[in-house]
Amino acid sequence: MTTQNTVDLLRLYKLRPTRQRVALAALLFDGTARHVTAETLHGQVKDMGITLSLATIYNTLHQFTKVGLLKEIRGIGDATWFDTNIDQHHHFFDITNDHLIDIPASSITISNLPDSPQGKVIDGIDVIVRLSDE
Amino acid sequence: MTTQNTVDLLRLYKLRPTRQRVALAALLFDGTARHVTAETLHGQVKDMGITLSLATIYNTLHQFTKVGLLKEIRGIGDATWFDTNIDQHHHFFDITNDHLIDIPASSITISNLPDSPQGKVIDGIDVIVRLSDE
DNA sequence: CAATTATTTTACAATCATTCTAAACTACTT
DNA sequence: AAGTAGTTTAGAATGATTGTAAAATAATTG
């Protein structure tokens, strides 16, 4: 993504286009599905010669999630993952190498779910399909 | 569960029936589905006037899981949950009060799952149905 | 453009769940 | 009863994450 497009994207979401947010957005939003943790992303920016504090990475990932640019995924290993695929979807998780692969929600059919308890409604469904070597 | 039954249970699983393991097993295995974290269980034993170190709770929960007396559940809030229901099953998770409800695996039908990547097999499937107030 | 204000970044300390460590303790065997 | 192997424990350490307060930077206003 060009810097100008990134700046426009951030402004669209009412986020001040600071140097660090522009760098992170440019890295994340290239149109492909990316899965990062604060640590992996920190490593990637460091590899590009940019220095960003880890706190800023956390702040930014949460801000991007809040405005809907990212989706947060819990329950995969110990860290929180962030996914540039913001559609409702599920995941394969390869436990041998901590690798995530998206599964479109449309590729999974869940039926016969029991009734929700009185007064409760379904807020969302998360499916994690764990993979290992055969 | 009586103390003697608990002792027998532990021996059956080749776990030395120490005072602390007997106390925890008696508390956990009363035949009902229990969901605990190290912290909630620690609170429960404390309420019964028994003093156990948190490290022992962690050790014991992991040992019980290893022999198949408990099932570990990740991805629910920040802590690791342990479930006395060891059958393959899924969960409702009420986000308003951090409450878990089991869903038997037989009560959910998952179909049309995409093929696993080359050389990988499905190790397990975890479904979490998040509930909120309507 | 300069000054002011508002937001952001950052280093560092703090927190929380969990694990490690090494010493004290206890169940089991002889 | 003594030995030894397995357990428990307090307390330190770890790793992911959040809080804090000061320094830096972006936006706004005159």
Side-chain angles (χ1 to χ4, degrees), chain A residues 82-96:
Chain A
F82 294 86
D83 194 336
T84 57
N85 177 357
I86 55 173
D87 297 338
Q88 218 261 278
H89 67 283
H90 306 291
H91 295 95
F92 279 123
F93 177 57
D94 188 335
I95 61 176
T96 64

mmCIF file with all atom_site columns, all heavy atoms in Angstrom, chain A residues 82-96:
data_model
loop_
_atom_site.group_PDB
_atom_site.id
_atom_site.type_symbol
_atom_site.label_atom_id
_atom_site.label_alt_id
_atom_site.label_comp_id
_atom_site.label_asym_id
_atom_site.label_entity_id
_atom_site.label_seq_id
_atom_site.pdbx_PDB_ins_code
_atom_site.Cartn_x
_atom_site.Cartn_y
_atom_site.Cartn_z
_atom_site.occupancy
_atom_site.B_iso_or_equiv
_atom_site.pdbx_formal_charge
_atom_site.auth_seq_id
_atom_site.auth_comp_id
_atom_site.auth_asym_id
_atom_site.auth_atom_id
_atom_site.pdbx_PDB_model_num
ATOM 1   N N   . PHE A 1 82 ? -4.010  -11.152 15.706 1.00 0.00 ? 82 PHE A N   1
ATOM 2   C CA  . PHE A 1 82 ? -4.835  -10.184 15.003 1.00 0.00 ? 82 PHE A CA  1
ATOM 3   C C   . PHE A 1 82 ? -4.844  -10.574 13.536 1.00 0.00 ? 82 PHE A C   1
ATOM 4   O O   . PHE A 1 82 ? -3.801  -10.932 12.965 1.00 0.00 ? 82 PHE A O   1
ATOM 5   C CB  . PHE A 1 82 ? -4.289  -8.769  15.198 1.00 0.00 ? 82 PHE A CB  1
ATOM 6   C CG  . PHE A 1 82 ? -4.383  -8.306  16.617 1.00 0.00 ? 82 PHE A CG  1
ATOM 7   C CD1 . PHE A 1 82 ? -3.381  -8.605  17.531 1.00 0.00 ? 82 PHE A CD1 1
ATOM 8   C CD2 . PHE A 1 82 ? -5.495  -7.589  17.069 1.00 0.00 ? 82 PHE A CD2 1
ATOM 9   C CE1 . PHE A 1 82 ? -3.472  -8.201  18.860 1.00 0.00 ? 82 PHE A CE1 1
ATOM 10  C CE2 . PHE A 1 82 ? -5.594  -7.178  18.393 1.00 0.00 ? 82 PHE A CE2 1
ATOM 11  C CZ  . PHE A 1 82 ? -4.576  -7.491  19.287 1.00 0.00 ? 82 PHE A CZ  1
ATOM 12  N N   . ASP A 1 83 ? -6.018  -10.486 12.932 1.00 0.00 ? 83 ASP A N   1
ATOM 13  C CA  . ASP A 1 83 ? -6.246  -11.014 11.591 1.00 0.00 ? 83 ASP A CA  1
ATOM 14  C C   . ASP A 1 83 ? -6.744  -9.888  10.695 1.00 0.00 ? 83 ASP A C   1
ATOM 15  O O   . ASP A 1 83 ? -7.679  -9.167  11.058 1.00 0.00 ? 83 ASP A O   1
ATOM 16  C CB  . ASP A 1 83 ? -7.314  -12.116 11.704 1.00 0.00 ? 83 ASP A CB  1
ATOM 17  C CG  . ASP A 1 83 ? -7.407  -12.975 10.461 1.00 0.00 ? 83 ASP A CG  1
ATOM 18  O OD1 . ASP A 1 83 ? -7.027  -12.490 9.377  1.00 0.00 ? 83 ASP A OD1 1
ATOM 19  O OD2 . ASP A 1 83 ? -7.861  -14.120 10.580 1.00 0.00 ? 83 ASP A OD2 1
ATOM 20  N N   . THR A 1 84 ? -6.106  -9.720  9.538  1.00 0.00 ? 84 THR A N   1
ATOM 21  C CA  . THR A 1 84 ? -6.571  -8.670  8.622  1.00 0.00 ? 84 THR A CA  1
ATOM 22  C C   . THR A 1 84 ? -7.840  -9.093  7.886  1.00 0.00 ? 84 THR A C   1
ATOM 23  O O   . THR A 1 84 ? -8.470  -8.273  7.222  1.00 0.00 ? 84 THR A O   1
ATOM 24  C CB  . THR A 1 84 ? -5.491  -8.338  7.569  1.00 0.00 ? 84 THR A CB  1
ATOM 25  O OG1 . THR A 1 84 ? -5.152  -9.526  6.861  1.00 0.00 ? 84 THR A OG1 1
ATOM 26  C CG2 . THR A 1 84 ? -4.263  -7.748  8.227  1.00 0.00 ? 84 THR A CG2 1
ATOM 27  N N   . ASN A 1 85 ? -8.196  -10.353 8.016  1.00 0.00 ? 85 ASN A N   1
ATOM 28  C CA  . ASN A 1 85 ? -9.475  -10.807 7.465  1.00 0.00 ? 85 ASN A CA  1
ATOM 29  C C   . ASN A 1 85 ? -10.552 -10.504 8.499  1.00 0.00 ? 85 ASN A C   1
ATOM 30  O O   . ASN A 1 85 ? -10.616 -11.148 9.551  1.00 0.00 ? 85 ASN A O   1
ATOM 31  C CB  . ASN A 1 85 ? -9.415  -12.307 7.171  1.00 0.00 ? 85 ASN A CB  1
ATOM 32  C CG  . ASN A 1 85 ? -10.734 -12.842 6.655  1.00 0.00 ? 85 ASN A CG  1
ATOM 33  O OD1 . ASN A 1 85 ? -11.730 -12.116 6.565  1.00 0.00 ? 85 ASN A OD1 1
ATOM 34  N ND2 . ASN A 1 85 ? -10.754 -14.112 6.310  1.00 0.00 ? 85 ASN A ND2 1
ATOM 35  N N   . ILE A 1 86 ? -11.369 -9.504  8.206  1.00 0.00 ? 86 ILE A N   1
ATOM 36  C CA  . ILE A 1 86 ? -12.358 -9.068  9.201  1.00 0.00 ? 86 ILE A CA  1
ATOM 37  C C   . ILE A 1 86 ? -13.732 -9.678  8.960  1.00 0.00 ? 86 ILE A C   1
ATOM 38  O O   . ILE A 1 86 ? -14.669 -9.412  9.702  1.00 0.00 ? 86 ILE A O   1
ATOM 39  C CB  . ILE A 1 86 ? -12.472 -7.531  9.230  1.00 0.00 ? 86 ILE A CB  1
ATOM 40  C CG1 . ILE A 1 86 ? -12.790 -7.017  7.828  1.00 0.00 ? 86 ILE A CG1 1
ATOM 41  C CG2 . ILE A 1 86 ? -11.203 -6.909  9.763  1.00 0.00 ? 86 ILE A CG2 1
ATOM 42  C CD1 . ILE A 1 86 ? -13.089 -5.544  7.768  1.00 0.00 ? 86 ILE A CD1 1
ATOM 43  N N   . ASP A 1 87 ? -13.853 -10.496 7.906  1.00 0.00 ? 87 ASP A N   1
ATOM 44  C CA  . ASP A 1 87 ? -15.120 -11.199 7.711  1.00 0.00 ? 87 ASP A CA  1
ATOM 45  C C   . ASP A 1 87 ? -15.304 -12.226 8.818  1.00 0.00 ? 87 ASP A C   1
ATOM 46  O O   . ASP A 1 87 ? -14.333 -12.706 9.387  1.00 0.00 ? 87 ASP A O   1
ATOM 47  C CB  . ASP A 1 87 ? -15.102 -11.963 6.373  1.00 0.00 ? 87 ASP A CB  1
ATOM 48  C CG  . ASP A 1 87 ? -14.962 -11.021 5.195  1.00 0.00 ? 87 ASP A CG  1
ATOM 49  O OD1 . ASP A 1 87 ? -15.294 -9.829  5.359  1.00 0.00 ? 87 ASP A OD1 1
ATOM 50  O OD2 . ASP A 1 87 ? -14.504 -11.475 4.128  1.00 0.00 ? 87 ASP A OD2 1
ATOM 51  N N   . GLN A 1 88 ? -16.531 -12.570 9.081  1.00 0.00 ? 88 GLN A N   1
ATOM 52  C CA  . GLN A 1 88 ? -16.784 -13.634 10.038 1.00 0.00 ? 88 GLN A CA  1
ATOM 53  C C   . GLN A 1 88 ? -16.175 -14.892 9.450  1.00 0.00 ? 88 GLN A C   1
ATOM 54  O O   . GLN A 1 88 ? -16.468 -15.259 8.310  1.00 0.00 ? 88 GLN A O   1
ATOM 55  C CB  . GLN A 1 88 ? -18.304 -13.785 10.231 1.00 0.00 ? 88 GLN A CB  1
ATOM 56  C CG  . GLN A 1 88 ? -18.688 -14.078 11.665 1.00 0.00 ? 88 GLN A CG  1
ATOM 57  C CD  . GLN A 1 88 ? -18.949 -15.550 11.887 1.00 0.00 ? 88 GLN A CD  1
ATOM 58  O OE1 . GLN A 1 88 ? -20.020 -16.029 11.603 1.00 0.00 ? 88 GLN A OE1 1
ATOM 59  N NE2 . GLN A 1 88 ? -17.947 -16.271 12.399 1.00 0.00 ? 88 GLN A NE2 1
ATOM 60  N N   . HIS A 1 89 ? -15.296 -15.529 10.183 1.00 0.00 ? 89 HIS A N   1
ATOM 61  C CA  . HIS A 1 89 ? -14.659 -16.738 9.661  1.00 0.00 ? 89 HIS A CA  1
ATOM 62  C C   . HIS A 1 89 ? -14.052 -17.545 10.796 1.00 0.00 ? 89 HIS A C   1
ATOM 63  O O   . HIS A 1 89 ? -14.055 -17.114 11.946 1.00 0.00 ? 89 HIS A O   1
ATOM 64  C CB  . HIS A 1 89 ? -13.599 -16.373 8.621  1.00 0.00 ? 89 HIS A CB  1
ATOM 65  C CG  . HIS A 1 89 ? -12.422 -15.642 9.179  1.00 0.00 ? 89 HIS A CG  1
ATOM 66  N ND1 . HIS A 1 89 ? -12.450 -14.302 9.514  1.00 0.00 ? 89 HIS A ND1 1
ATOM 67  C CD2 . HIS A 1 89 ? -11.174 -16.060 9.487  1.00 0.00 ? 89 HIS A CD2 1
ATOM 68  C CE1 . HIS A 1 89 ? -11.276 -13.935 9.977  1.00 0.00 ? 89 HIS A CE1 1
ATOM 69  N NE2 . HIS A 1 89 ? -10.484 -14.980 9.986  1.00 0.00 ? 89 HIS A NE2 1
ATOM 70  N N   . HIS A 1 90 ? -13.526 -18.693 10.453 1.00 0.00 ? 90 HIS A N   1
ATOM 71  C CA  . HIS A 1 90 ? -12.965 -19.592 11.461 1.00 0.00 ? 90 HIS A CA  1
ATOM 72  C C   . HIS A 1 90 ? -11.506 -19.906 11.115 1.00 0.00 ? 90 HIS A C   1
ATOM 73  O O   . HIS A 1 90 ? -10.956 -19.291 10.210 1.00 0.00 ? 90 HIS A O   1
ATOM 74  C CB  . HIS A 1 90 ? -13.838 -20.849 11.539 1.00 0.00 ? 90 HIS A CB  1
ATOM 75  C CG  . HIS A 1 90 ? -15.273 -20.538 11.779 1.00 0.00 ? 90 HIS A CG  1
ATOM 76  N ND1 . HIS A 1 90 ? -15.731 -20.029 12.967 1.00 0.00 ? 90 HIS A ND1 1
ATOM 77  C CD2 . HIS A 1 90 ? -16.352 -20.597 10.957 1.00 0.00 ? 90 HIS A CD2 1
ATOM 78  C CE1 . HIS A 1 90 ? -17.035 -19.807 12.875 1.00 0.00 ? 90 HIS A CE1 1
ATOM 79  N NE2 . HIS A 1 90 ? -17.443 -20.142 11.664 1.00 0.00 ? 90 HIS A NE2 1
ATOM 80  N N   . HIS A 1 91 ? -10.915 -20.835 11.857 1.00 0.00 ? 91 HIS A N   1
ATOM 81  C CA  . HIS A 1 91 ? -9.482  -21.083 11.637 1.00 0.00 ? 91 HIS A CA  1
ATOM 82  C C   . HIS A 1 91 ? -9.057  -22.531 11.745 1.00 0.00 ? 91 HIS A C   1
ATOM 83  O O   . HIS A 1 91 ? -9.524  -23.259 12.606 1.00 0.00 ? 91 HIS A O   1
ATOM 84  C CB  . HIS A 1 91 ? -8.653  -20.262 12.637 1.00 0.00 ? 91 HIS A CB  1
ATOM 85  C CG  . HIS A 1 91 ? -8.779  -18.800 12.433 1.00 0.00 ? 91 HIS A CG  1
ATOM 86  N ND1 . HIS A 1 91 ? -9.674  -18.028 13.140 1.00 0.00 ? 91 HIS A ND1 1
ATOM 87  C CD2 . HIS A 1 91 ? -8.161  -17.953 11.568 1.00 0.00 ? 91 HIS A CD2 1
ATOM 88  C CE1 . HIS A 1 91 ? -9.585  -16.776 12.713 1.00 0.00 ? 91 HIS A CE1 1
ATOM 89  N NE2 . HIS A 1 91 ? -8.696  -16.699 11.772 1.00 0.00 ? 91 HIS A NE2 1
ATOM 90  N N   . PHE A 1 92 ? -8.142  -22.873 10.842 1.00 0.00 ? 92 PHE A N   1
ATOM 91  C CA  . PHE A 1 92 ? -7.305  -24.037 11.054 1.00 0.00 ? 92 PHE A CA  1
ATOM 92  C C   . PHE A 1 92 ? -6.139  -23.516 11.873 1.00 0.00 ? 92 PHE A C   1
ATOM 93  O O   . PHE A 1 92 ? -5.633  -22.419 11.607 1.00 0.00 ? 92 PHE A O   1
ATOM 94  C CB  . PHE A 1 92 ? -6.727  -24.557 9.725  1.00 0.00 ? 92 PHE A CB  1
ATOM 95  C CG  . PHE A 1 92 ? -7.643  -25.414 8.919  1.00 0.00 ? 92 PHE A CG  1
ATOM 96  C CD1 . PHE A 1 92 ? -7.961  -25.069 7.605  1.00 0.00 ? 92 PHE A CD1 1
ATOM 97  C CD2 . PHE A 1 92 ? -8.169  -26.597 9.437  1.00 0.00 ? 92 PHE A CD2 1
ATOM 98  C CE1 . PHE A 1 92 ? -8.795  -25.879 6.837  1.00 0.00 ? 92 PHE A CE1 1
ATOM 99  C CE2 . PHE A 1 92 ? -9.003  -27.407 8.663  1.00 0.00 ? 92 PHE A CE2 1
ATOM 100 C CZ  . PHE A 1 92 ? -9.316  -27.043 7.373  1.00 0.00 ? 92 PHE A CZ  1
ATOM 101 N N   . PHE A 1 93 ? -5.704  -24.294 12.852 1.00 0.00 ? 93 PHE A N   1
ATOM 102 C CA  . PHE A 1 93 ? -4.509  -23.903 13.599 1.00 0.00 ? 93 PHE A CA  1
ATOM 103 C C   . PHE A 1 93 ? -3.555  -25.087 13.609 1.00 0.00 ? 93 PHE A C   1
ATOM 104 O O   . PHE A 1 93 ? -3.854  -26.137 14.194 1.00 0.00 ? 93 PHE A O   1
ATOM 105 C CB  . PHE A 1 93 ? -4.859  -23.489 15.025 1.00 0.00 ? 93 PHE A CB  1
ATOM 106 C CG  . PHE A 1 93 ? -3.649  -23.160 15.851 1.00 0.00 ? 93 PHE A CG  1
ATOM 107 C CD1 . PHE A 1 93 ? -2.756  -22.176 15.439 1.00 0.00 ? 93 PHE A CD1 1
ATOM 108 C CD2 . PHE A 1 93 ? -3.382  -23.826 17.042 1.00 0.00 ? 93 PHE A CD2 1
ATOM 109 C CE1 . PHE A 1 93 ? -1.628  -21.872 16.177 1.00 0.00 ? 93 PHE A CE1 1
ATOM 110 C CE2 . PHE A 1 93 ? -2.259  -23.526 17.790 1.00 0.00 ? 93 PHE A CE2 1
ATOM 111 C CZ  . PHE A 1 93 ? -1.377  -22.550 17.356 1.00 0.00 ? 93 PHE A CZ  1
ATOM 112 N N   . ASP A 1 94 ? -2.432  -24.928 12.946 1.00 0.00 ? 94 ASP A N   1
ATOM 113 C CA  . ASP A 1 94 ? -1.437  -25.993 12.868 1.00 0.00 ? 94 ASP A CA  1
ATOM 114 C C   . ASP A 1 94 ? -0.587  -25.958 14.135 1.00 0.00 ? 94 ASP A C   1
ATOM 115 O O   . ASP A 1 94 ? 0.235   -25.062 14.314 1.00 0.00 ? 94 ASP A O   1
ATOM 116 C CB  . ASP A 1 94 ? -0.569  -25.773 11.630 1.00 0.00 ? 94 ASP A CB  1
ATOM 117 C CG  . ASP A 1 94 ? 0.356   -26.951 11.372 1.00 0.00 ? 94 ASP A CG  1
ATOM 118 O OD1 . ASP A 1 94 ? 0.674   -27.688 12.335 1.00 0.00 ? 94 ASP A OD1 1
ATOM 119 O OD2 . ASP A 1 94 ? 0.755   -27.141 10.218 1.00 0.00 ? 94 ASP A OD2 1
ATOM 120 N N   . ILE A 1 95 ? -0.821  -26.945 14.992 1.00 0.00 ? 95 ILE A N   1
ATOM 121 C CA  . ILE A 1 95 ? -0.140  -26.938 16.290 1.00 0.00 ? 95 ILE A CA  1
ATOM 122 C C   . ILE A 1 95 ? 1.344   -27.270 16.178 1.00 0.00 ? 95 ILE A C   1
ATOM 123 O O   . ILE A 1 95 ? 2.090   -27.060 17.124 1.00 0.00 ? 95 ILE A O   1
ATOM 124 C CB  . ILE A 1 95 ? -0.806  -27.920 17.296 1.00 0.00 ? 95 ILE A CB  1
ATOM 125 C CG1 . ILE A 1 95 ? -0.758  -29.353 16.772 1.00 0.00 ? 95 ILE A CG1 1
ATOM 126 C CG2 . ILE A 1 95 ? -2.240  -27.520 17.570 1.00 0.00 ? 95 ILE A CG2 1
ATOM 127 C CD1 . ILE A 1 95 ? -1.312  -30.377 17.751 1.00 0.00 ? 95 ILE A CD1 1
ATOM 128 N N   . THR A 1 96 ? 1.770   -27.762 15.033 1.00 0.00 ? 96 THR A N   1
ATOM 129 C CA  . THR A 1 96 ? 3.190   -28.101 14.896 1.00 0.00 ? 96 THR A CA  1
ATOM 130 C C   . THR A 1 96 ? 4.052   -26.875 14.620 1.00 0.00 ? 96 THR A C   1
ATOM 131 O O   . THR A 1 96 ? 5.249   -26.889 14.873 1.00 0.00 ? 96 THR A O   1
ATOM 132 C CB  . THR A 1 96 ? 3.428   -29.134 13.761 1.00 0.00 ? 96 THR A CB  1
ATOM 133 O OG1 . THR A 1 96 ? 3.069   -28.550 12.506 1.00 0.00 ? 96 THR A OG1 1
ATOM 134 C CG2 . THR A 1 96 ? 2.604   -30.388 13.989 1.00 0.00 ? 96 THR A CG2 1
#
